[in-house]
Amino acid sequence: METTLRGVGVSHGVAIGEVRHMGTAVLEPPAKQIPAEEAEREQGRARQAVEAVAADLMARGNLAGGEAQAVLEAQALMAQDPELMADVDRRIAVGSTAERGVYDAFAAYRALLAGAGEYLAGRVADLDDVRNRIVARLLGVPMPGVPDSDEPYVLIARDLAPADTALLDPALVLGFVTEEGGPTSHSAILARALGVPAVVALPGAGELAEGTVVAVDGSTGEIFVEPSAEKRTELESAAAARKAALAATTGPGATSDGHKVPLLANIGGPADVPAAVEAGAEGVGLFRTEFLFLDDSKQAPSEESQVEAYRKVLEAFPEGRVVVRVLDAGADKPLDFLTPAEEPNPALGVRGLRSLLEHPEVLRTQLTALAKAVEGLPVYLEVMAPMVADRTDAKAFADACRAAGLEAKFGAMVEIPSAALRARSILQEVEFLSLGTNDLAQYTFAADRQVGAVSRLQDPWQPALLDLVAASADAARAEGKSCGVCGEAAADPLLACVLTGLGVTSLSMGAKAIPYVRATLAKYTLAQCERAAAAARAVDTADEARAAAQAVLSGE
């Protein structure tokens, strides 16, 4: 009998297939004591296992490329965290085996992350995966992972760690459903990058029996269990119509009455360029440069290696626009040579531009490399700073760009409410704004983007967040400058229309989302988008905002 379940849709598309569950294994080692004389040997085993797992994660990242590479390399750094390893050594010194010391040390760190008793949807999944990989290696058992199947299937899991998500084969994994996670978790972001339909935060997903046929709608978040023939036909027809609409809409992004909205791609490095070009991206709206720095957390990459990597991306978009974000380190992306060793709250500490201003040689080398990389190329280079708080920050960045001889537009990311509220002041120093909606939501609502318990506050449809977007766009319009969005919000086709109505001048997203956004924008006039934006801001909750915008655009 057909039943319907509802989670949170995080990646567009429809998948119909049989359920296969992520493999699990008992990875809690026995709590037995070892003689004191074996402690040094066990500590050596633990260190070897940690290094092997870190190397494996780095290798998976190199294979996956793009966003996945940055995520997996950050996970490798997590495995090698010196405080965690010191705790492992202490536990082994008082009698734990290597595997038990690792298990207990990670459990203690997990409890710290969980804070008030609610687990962290994204970061804890990453931490658990690292622990499982180290313990499995020490126990000599295979890692649980994606099921072995010759036939395509829908994958069900409690949560998916980045190492699993990054290497999913879209030819076999039709879609996936998780019990945990949120719209900005690593798994959700990587699902969108892969173009795999996905639904997260579905309680009870693990109870779906192996082999059960389900239909997954990654747009609505609905799961149809044992769908009827009629429902299958309905979903398949809707998917075919959507695919036809995507194919029929080509060229630059624009509303139906010709208001241009450039559609740009978010990339993590040269490996992401082919997908962006294939999707028809009009340029790059967010080039995350962290991938190059994560290769070695001990020291910054050389100027020469940076020039080579940047030039590969710049060459791919002749006459196009490429917006490069300088290194955004700190919080969940620590680097030994840049990030303070201990901070009570890294997300509110020395991160982003603050780190670079404390280490001006790192910023100077990156800006000089960008200046050299763009020489002789017919590309419109723009460079922006992360975590700009006020005009003082903006001026310091612009001064650094000029001192490096960089011939490009200088911009500021709006990720802190103060930057949105004082956007016009900041625009006295820089030439454009770019809204990072993920972090802007986090700081607006005091809601960690990795904490599943506060996921409703991470929803980019929150009217308060839309107010800050509108304030930034209004300031840019008043100054005759541009204001784009490069956060995950831009990948939601309906929200893209609302952002356009708020006055946003460009939208940047994962390459897979570009056709969906292009086709949706082309259905509505600018005036309709403006009415939808006004309706979304006139209510009090994210769900009401989404419904209000949908009602306006559907003519209800």
PDB file of all heavy atoms in Angstrom, residues 53-86:
ATOM      1  N   VAL A  53      44.582   6.619   7.669  1.00  0.00           N
ATOM      2  CA  VAL A  53      43.228   7.098   7.383  1.00  0.00           C
ATOM      3  C   VAL A  53      43.278   8.497   6.782  1.00  0.00           C
ATOM      4  O   VAL A  53      42.562   8.804   5.825  1.00  0.00           O
ATOM      5  CB  VAL A  53      42.366   7.068   8.660  1.00  0.00           C
ATOM      6  CG1 VAL A  53      41.084   7.873   8.479  1.00  0.00           C
ATOM      7  CG2 VAL A  53      42.033   5.624   9.027  1.00  0.00           C
ATOM      8  N   ALA A  54      44.127   9.352   7.330  1.00  0.00           N
ATOM      9  CA  ALA A  54      44.254  10.706   6.785  1.00  0.00           C
ATOM     10  C   ALA A  54      44.722  10.663   5.335  1.00  0.00           C
ATOM     11  O   ALA A  54      44.205  11.389   4.474  1.00  0.00           O
ATOM     12  CB  ALA A  54      45.224  11.524   7.633  1.00  0.00           C
ATOM     13  N   ALA A  55      45.676   9.797   5.048  1.00  0.00           N
ATOM     14  CA  ALA A  55      46.180   9.666   3.675  1.00  0.00           C
ATOM     15  C   ALA A  55      45.080   9.157   2.744  1.00  0.00           C
ATOM     16  O   ALA A  55      44.958   9.605   1.594  1.00  0.00           O
ATOM     17  CB  ALA A  55      47.387   8.719   3.651  1.00  0.00           C
ATOM     18  N   ASP A  56      44.264   8.200   3.236  1.00  0.00           N
ATOM     19  CA  ASP A  56      43.175   7.667   2.428  1.00  0.00           C
ATOM     20  C   ASP A  56      42.137   8.748   2.118  1.00  0.00           C
ATOM     21  O   ASP A  56      41.643   8.853   0.993  1.00  0.00           O
ATOM     22  CB  ASP A  56      42.506   6.504   3.160  1.00  0.00           C
ATOM     23  CG  ASP A  56      41.313   5.948   2.384  1.00  0.00           C
ATOM     24  OD1 ASP A  56      41.513   5.440   1.271  1.00  0.00           O
ATOM     25  OD2 ASP A  56      40.181   6.028   2.897  1.00  0.00           O
ATOM     26  N   LEU A  57      41.817   9.572   3.116  1.00  0.00           N
ATOM     27  CA  LEU A  57      40.853  10.658   2.904  1.00  0.00           C
ATOM     28  C   LEU A  57      41.394  11.671   1.905  1.00  0.00           C
ATOM     29  O   LEU A  57      40.654  12.171   1.047  1.00  0.00           O
ATOM     30  CB  LEU A  57      40.520  11.334   4.229  1.00  0.00           C
ATOM     31  CG  LEU A  57      39.682  10.497   5.208  1.00  0.00           C
ATOM     32  CD1 LEU A  57      39.662  11.154   6.588  1.00  0.00           C
ATOM     33  CD2 LEU A  57      38.256  10.315   4.696  1.00  0.00           C
ATOM     34  N   MET A  58      42.681  11.988   2.001  1.00  0.00           N
ATOM     35  CA  MET A  58      43.291  12.906   1.047  1.00  0.00           C
ATOM     36  C   MET A  58      43.236  12.327  -0.368  1.00  0.00           C
ATOM     37  O   MET A  58      42.937  13.037  -1.332  1.00  0.00           O
ATOM     38  CB  MET A  58      44.744  13.183   1.442  1.00  0.00           C
ATOM     39  CG  MET A  58      44.908  13.951   2.743  1.00  0.00           C
ATOM     40  SD  MET A  58      44.469  15.690   2.616  1.00  0.00           S
ATOM     41  CE  MET A  58      45.914  16.338   1.804  1.00  0.00           C
ATOM     42  N   ALA A  59      43.500  11.025  -0.480  1.00  0.00           N
ATOM     43  CA  ALA A  59      43.466  10.380  -1.791  1.00  0.00           C
ATOM     44  C   ALA A  59      42.058  10.391  -2.370  1.00  0.00           C
ATOM     45  O   ALA A  59      41.860  10.636  -3.567  1.00  0.00           O
ATOM     46  CB  ALA A  59      43.985   8.940  -1.681  1.00  0.00           C
ATOM     47  N   ARG A  60      41.055  10.120  -1.520  1.00  0.00           N
ATOM     48  CA  ARG A  60      39.671  10.182  -1.983  1.00  0.00           C
ATOM     49  C   ARG A  60      39.328  11.598  -2.454  1.00  0.00           C
ATOM     50  O   ARG A  60      38.616  11.793  -3.443  1.00  0.00           O
ATOM     51  CB  ARG A  60      38.719   9.771  -0.852  1.00  0.00           C
ATOM     52  CG  ARG A  60      38.685   8.277  -0.562  1.00  0.00           C
ATOM     53  CD  ARG A  60      37.909   7.998   0.721  1.00  0.00           C
ATOM     54  NE  ARG A  60      37.798   6.571   0.971  1.00  0.00           N
ATOM     55  CZ  ARG A  60      36.722   5.828   0.689  1.00  0.00           C
ATOM     56  NH1 ARG A  60      35.659   6.394   0.155  1.00  0.00           N
ATOM     57  NH2 ARG A  60      36.698   4.541   0.927  1.00  0.00           N
ATOM     58  N   GLY A  61      39.835  12.584  -1.719  1.00  0.00           N
ATOM     59  CA  GLY A  61      39.585  13.960  -2.115  1.00  0.00           C
ATOM     60  C   GLY A  61      40.192  14.297  -3.466  1.00  0.00           C
ATOM     61  O   GLY A  61      39.564  14.930  -4.312  1.00  0.00           O
ATOM     62  N   ASN A  62      41.428  13.845  -3.682  1.00  0.00           N
ATOM     63  CA  ASN A  62      42.082  14.085  -4.968  1.00  0.00           C
ATOM     64  C   ASN A  62      41.317  13.423  -6.105  1.00  0.00           C
ATOM     65  O   ASN A  62      41.218  13.967  -7.207  1.00  0.00           O
ATOM     66  CB  ASN A  62      43.520  13.547  -4.938  1.00  0.00           C
ATOM     67  CG  ASN A  62      44.416  14.374  -4.043  1.00  0.00           C
ATOM     68  OD1 ASN A  62      44.178  15.557  -3.843  1.00  0.00           O
ATOM     69  ND2 ASN A  62      45.450  13.754  -3.487  1.00  0.00           N
ATOM     70  N   LEU A  63      40.756  12.250  -5.835  1.00  0.00           N
ATOM     71  CA  LEU A  63      39.995  11.529  -6.853  1.00  0.00           C
ATOM     72  C   LEU A  63      38.665  12.218  -7.150  1.00  0.00           C
ATOM     73  O   LEU A  63      38.250  12.342  -8.299  1.00  0.00           O
ATOM     74  CB  LEU A  63      39.730  10.093  -6.375  1.00  0.00           C
ATOM     75  CG  LEU A  63      39.016   9.153  -7.353  1.00  0.00           C
ATOM     76  CD1 LEU A  63      39.840   8.978  -8.632  1.00  0.00           C
ATOM     77  CD2 LEU A  63      38.771   7.795  -6.701  1.00  0.00           C
ATOM     78  N   ALA A  64      38.030  12.699  -6.106  1.00  0.00           N
ATOM     79  CA  ALA A  64      36.711  13.325  -6.276  1.00  0.00           C
ATOM     80  C   ALA A  64      36.824  14.727  -6.850  1.00  0.00           C
ATOM     81  O   ALA A  64      36.019  15.142  -7.686  1.00  0.00           O
ATOM     82  CB  ALA A  64      35.971  13.363  -4.937  1.00  0.00           C
ATOM     83  N   GLY A  65      37.827  15.505  -6.389  1.00  0.00           N
ATOM     84  CA  GLY A  65      37.997  16.871  -6.857  1.00  0.00           C
ATOM     85  C   GLY A  65      36.912  17.811  -6.342  1.00  0.00           C
ATOM     86  O   GLY A  65      35.982  17.416  -5.643  1.00  0.00           O
ATOM     87  N   GLY A  66      37.045  19.070  -6.705  1.00  0.00           N
ATOM     88  CA  GLY A  66      36.013  20.063  -6.430  1.00  0.00           C
ATOM     89  C   GLY A  66      35.694  20.244  -4.964  1.00  0.00           C
ATOM     90  O   GLY A  66      36.551  20.198  -4.095  1.00  0.00           O
ATOM     91  N   GLU A  67      34.386  20.475  -4.705  1.00  0.00           N
ATOM     92  CA  GLU A  67      33.928  20.705  -3.335  1.00  0.00           C
ATOM     93  C   GLU A  67      34.283  19.528  -2.439  1.00  0.00           C
ATOM     94  O   GLU A  67      34.647  19.692  -1.283  1.00  0.00           O
ATOM     95  CB  GLU A  67      32.409  20.908  -3.322  1.00  0.00           C
ATOM     96  CG  GLU A  67      31.967  22.161  -4.053  1.00  0.00           C
ATOM     97  CD  GLU A  67      30.852  22.856  -3.320  1.00  0.00           C
ATOM     98  OE1 GLU A  67      30.790  22.733  -2.085  1.00  0.00           O
ATOM     99  OE2 GLU A  67      30.059  23.536  -3.976  1.00  0.00           O
ATOM    100  N   ALA A  68      34.161  18.322  -2.987  1.00  0.00           N
ATOM    101  CA  ALA A  68      34.439  17.132  -2.188  1.00  0.00           C
ATOM    102  C   ALA A  68      35.879  17.118  -1.707  1.00  0.00           C
ATOM    103  O   ALA A  68      36.171  16.680  -0.590  1.00  0.00           O
ATOM    104  CB  ALA A  68      34.156  15.874  -3.012  1.00  0.00           C
ATOM    105  N   GLN A  69      36.793  17.617  -2.546  1.00  0.00           N
ATOM    106  CA  GLN A  69      38.199  17.619  -2.153  1.00  0.00           C
ATOM    107  C   GLN A  69      38.422  18.477  -0.915  1.00  0.00           C
ATOM    108  O   GLN A  69      39.092  18.061   0.032  1.00  0.00           O
ATOM    109  CB  GLN A  69      39.067  18.126  -3.308  1.00  0.00           C
ATOM    110  CG  GLN A  69      40.557  18.083  -2.981  1.00  0.00           C
ATOM    111  CD  GLN A  69      41.419  18.385  -4.190  1.00  0.00           C
ATOM    112  OE1 GLN A  69      40.928  18.811  -5.224  1.00  0.00           O
ATOM    113  NE2 GLN A  69      42.712  18.169  -4.073  1.00  0.00           N
ATOM    114  N   ALA A  70      37.834  19.658  -0.902  1.00  0.00           N
ATOM    115  CA  ALA A  70      38.006  20.542   0.252  1.00  0.00           C
ATOM    116  C   ALA A  70      37.426  19.922   1.516  1.00  0.00           C
ATOM    117  O   ALA A  70      38.029  19.984   2.597  1.00  0.00           O
ATOM    118  CB  ALA A  70      37.351  21.896  -0.025  1.00  0.00           C
ATOM    119  N   VAL A  71      36.257  19.294   1.388  1.00  0.00           N
ATOM    120  CA  VAL A  71      35.599  18.686   2.546  1.00  0.00           C
ATOM    121  C   VAL A  71      36.427  17.524   3.089  1.00  0.00           C
ATOM    122  O   VAL A  71      36.648  17.396   4.297  1.00  0.00           O
ATOM    123  CB  VAL A  71      34.183  18.217   2.182  1.00  0.00           C
ATOM    124  CG1 VAL A  71      33.575  17.378   3.306  1.00  0.00           C
ATOM    125  CG2 VAL A  71      33.285  19.413   1.893  1.00  0.00           C
ATOM    126  N   LEU A  72      36.901  16.659   2.199  1.00  0.00           N
ATOM    127  CA  LEU A  72      37.639  15.481   2.638  1.00  0.00           C
ATOM    128  C   LEU A  72      39.015  15.846   3.199  1.00  0.00           C
ATOM    129  O   LEU A  72      39.497  15.204   4.138  1.00  0.00           O
ATOM    130  CB  LEU A  72      37.785  14.490   1.478  1.00  0.00           C
ATOM    131  CG  LEU A  72      36.476  13.788   1.088  1.00  0.00           C
ATOM    132  CD1 LEU A  72      36.657  12.992  -0.187  1.00  0.00           C
ATOM    133  CD2 LEU A  72      36.004  12.881   2.199  1.00  0.00           C
ATOM    134  N   GLU A  73      39.619  16.881   2.641  1.00  0.00           N
ATOM    135  CA  GLU A  73      40.913  17.291   3.178  1.00  0.00           C
ATOM    136  C   GLU A  73      40.741  17.902   4.568  1.00  0.00           C
ATOM    137  O   GLU A  73      41.588  17.723   5.440  1.00  0.00           O
ATOM    138  CB  GLU A  73      41.596  18.257   2.210  1.00  0.00           C
ATOM    139  CG  GLU A  73      42.083  17.530   0.953  1.00  0.00           C
ATOM    140  CD  GLU A  73      42.710  18.446  -0.080  1.00  0.00           C
ATOM    141  OE1 GLU A  73      42.567  19.683   0.055  1.00  0.00           O
ATOM    142  OE2 GLU A  73      43.326  17.929  -1.022  1.00  0.00           O
ATOM    143  N   ALA A  74      39.631  18.613   4.765  1.00  0.00           N
ATOM    144  CA  ALA A  74      39.352  19.120   6.116  1.00  0.00           C
ATOM    145  C   ALA A  74      39.119  17.962   7.074  1.00  0.00           C
ATOM    146  O   ALA A  74      39.524  18.011   8.247  1.00  0.00           O
ATOM    147  CB  ALA A  74      38.125  20.032   6.070  1.00  0.00           C
ATOM    148  N   GLN A  75      38.485  16.895   6.586  1.00  0.00           N
ATOM    149  CA  GLN A  75      38.245  15.723   7.421  1.00  0.00           C
ATOM    150  C   GLN A  75      39.566  15.028   7.765  1.00  0.00           C
ATOM    151  O   GLN A  75      39.746  14.526   8.880  1.00  0.00           O
ATOM    152  CB  GLN A  75      37.301  14.763   6.694  1.00  0.00           C
ATOM    153  CG  GLN A  75      36.554  13.822   7.617  1.00  0.00           C
ATOM    154  CD  GLN A  75      35.623  12.901   6.853  1.00  0.00           C
ATOM    155  OE1 GLN A  75      35.603  12.888   5.632  1.00  0.00           O
ATOM    156  NE2 GLN A  75      34.858  12.110   7.580  1.00  0.00           N
ATOM    157  N   ALA A  76      40.493  15.013   6.815  1.00  0.00           N
ATOM    158  CA  ALA A  76      41.807  14.424   7.081  1.00  0.00           C
ATOM    159  C   ALA A  76      42.526  15.200   8.179  1.00  0.00           C
ATOM    160  O   ALA A  76      43.184  14.610   9.048  1.00  0.00           O
ATOM    161  CB  ALA A  76      42.650  14.409   5.803  1.00  0.00           C
ATOM    162  N   LEU A  77      42.390  16.520   8.164  1.00  0.00           N
ATOM    163  CA  LEU A  77      42.994  17.332   9.222  1.00  0.00           C
ATOM    164  C   LEU A  77      42.348  17.033  10.570  1.00  0.00           C
ATOM    165  O   LEU A  77      43.008  17.045  11.611  1.00  0.00           O
ATOM    166  CB  LEU A  77      42.848  18.819   8.888  1.00  0.00           C
ATOM    167  CG  LEU A  77      43.626  19.320   7.669  1.00  0.00           C
ATOM    168  CD1 LEU A  77      43.333  20.794   7.432  1.00  0.00           C
ATOM    169  CD2 LEU A  77      45.118  19.102   7.853  1.00  0.00           C
ATOM    170  N   MET A  78      41.046  16.754  10.542  1.00  0.00           N
ATOM    171  CA  MET A  78      40.347  16.388  11.767  1.00  0.00           C
ATOM    172  C   MET A  78      40.944  15.110  12.354  1.00  0.00           C
ATOM    173  O   MET A  78      41.140  14.994  13.564  1.00  0.00           O
ATOM    174  CB  MET A  78      38.854  16.181  11.459  1.00  0.00           C
ATOM    175  CG  MET A  78      37.991  15.829  12.654  1.00  0.00           C
ATOM    176  SD  MET A  78      36.288  15.441  12.147  1.00  0.00           S
ATOM    177  CE  MET A  78      35.692  17.065  11.668  1.00  0.00           C
ATOM    178  N   ALA A  79      41.260  14.139  11.494  1.00  0.00           N
ATOM    179  CA  ALA A  79      41.843  12.875  11.963  1.00  0.00           C
ATOM    180  C   ALA A  79      43.171  13.106  12.663  1.00  0.00           C
ATOM    181  O   ALA A  79      43.526  12.395  13.609  1.00  0.00           O
ATOM    182  CB  ALA A  79      42.041  11.922  10.777  1.00  0.00           C
ATOM    183  N   GLN A  80      43.912  14.119  12.214  1.00  0.00           N
ATOM    184  CA  GLN A  80      45.255  14.369  12.747  1.00  0.00           C
ATOM    185  C   GLN A  80      45.281  15.441  13.831  1.00  0.00           C
ATOM    186  O   GLN A  80      46.362  15.883  14.217  1.00  0.00           O
ATOM    187  CB  GLN A  80      46.175  14.787  11.595  1.00  0.00           C
ATOM    188  CG  GLN A  80      46.341  13.709  10.528  1.00  0.00           C
ATOM    189  CD  GLN A  80      47.003  14.255   9.275  1.00  0.00           C
ATOM    190  OE1 GLN A  80      46.538  15.214   8.678  1.00  0.00           O
ATOM    191  NE2 GLN A  80      48.112  13.643   8.894  1.00  0.00           N
ATOM    192  N   ASP A  81      44.125  15.830  14.317  1.00  0.00           N
ATOM    193  CA  ASP A  81      44.055  16.883  15.324  1.00  0.00           C
ATOM    194  C   ASP A  81      44.987  16.567  16.497  1.00  0.00           C
ATOM    195  O   ASP A  81      44.862  15.520  17.136  1.00  0.00           O
ATOM    196  CB  ASP A  81      42.618  17.022  15.828  1.00  0.00           C
ATOM    197  CG  ASP A  81      42.472  18.141  16.838  1.00  0.00           C
ATOM    198  OD1 ASP A  81      42.693  17.873  18.035  1.00  0.00           O
ATOM    199  OD2 ASP A  81      42.148  19.264  16.432  1.00  0.00           O
ATOM    200  N   PRO A  82      45.937  17.464  16.802  1.00  0.00           N
ATOM    201  CA  PRO A  82      46.932  17.150  17.850  1.00  0.00           C
ATOM    202  C   PRO A  82      46.326  16.965  19.236  1.00  0.00           C
ATOM    203  O   PRO A  82      46.814  16.153  20.027  1.00  0.00           O
ATOM    204  CB  PRO A  82      47.878  18.366  17.807  1.00  0.00           C
ATOM    205  CG  PRO A  82      47.137  19.436  17.067  1.00  0.00           C
ATOM    206  CD  PRO A  82      46.219  18.741  16.129  1.00  0.00           C
ATOM    207  N   GLU A  83      45.257  17.706  19.561  1.00  0.00           N
ATOM    208  CA  GLU A  83      44.630  17.541  20.872  1.00  0.00           C
ATOM    209  C   GLU A  83      43.975  16.176  20.993  1.00  0.00           C
ATOM    210  O   GLU A  83      44.046  15.521  22.042  1.00  0.00           O
ATOM    211  CB  GLU A  83      43.616  18.649  21.109  1.00  0.00           C
ATOM    212  CG  GLU A  83      44.241  20.006  21.375  1.00  0.00           C
ATOM    213  CD  GLU A  83      43.227  21.018  21.868  1.00  0.00           C
ATOM    214  OE1 GLU A  83      42.153  20.608  22.357  1.00  0.00           O
ATOM    215  OE2 GLU A  83      43.512  22.216  21.763  1.00  0.00           O
ATOM    216  N   LEU A  84      43.320  15.747  19.905  1.00  0.00           N
ATOM    217  CA  LEU A  84      42.707  14.418  19.925  1.00  0.00           C
ATOM    218  C   LEU A  84      43.774  13.338  20.094  1.00  0.00           C
ATOM    219  O   LEU A  84      43.607  12.395  20.867  1.00  0.00           O
ATOM    220  CB  LEU A  84      41.944  14.187  18.621  1.00  0.00           C
ATOM    221  CG  LEU A  84      40.436  14.422  18.639  1.00  0.00           C
ATOM    222  CD1 LEU A  84      39.858  14.286  17.238  1.00  0.00           C
ATOM    223  CD2 LEU A  84      39.757  13.443  19.578  1.00  0.00           C
ATOM    224  N   MET A  85      44.871  13.476  19.350  1.00  0.00           N
ATOM    225  CA  MET A  85      45.926  12.462  19.440  1.00  0.00           C
ATOM    226  C   MET A  85      46.576  12.457  20.822  1.00  0.00           C
ATOM    227  O   MET A  85      46.958  11.406  21.338  1.00  0.00           O
ATOM    228  CB  MET A  85      46.983  12.706  18.356  1.00  0.00           C
ATOM    229  CG  MET A  85      46.539  12.261  16.971  1.00  0.00           C
ATOM    230  SD  MET A  85      45.869  10.566  16.965  1.00  0.00           S
ATOM    231  CE  MET A  85      47.259   9.637  17.588  1.00  0.00           C
ATOM    232  N   ALA A  86      46.702  13.636  21.431  1.00  0.00           N
ATOM    233  CA  ALA A  86      47.260  13.687  22.789  1.00  0.00           C
ATOM    234  C   ALA A  86      46.344  12.959  23.760  1.00  0.00           C
ATOM    235  O   ALA A  86      46.810  12.254  24.675  1.00  0.00           O
ATOM    236  CB  ALA A  86      47.446  15.147  23.212  1.00  0.00           C
TER     237      ALA A  86
END
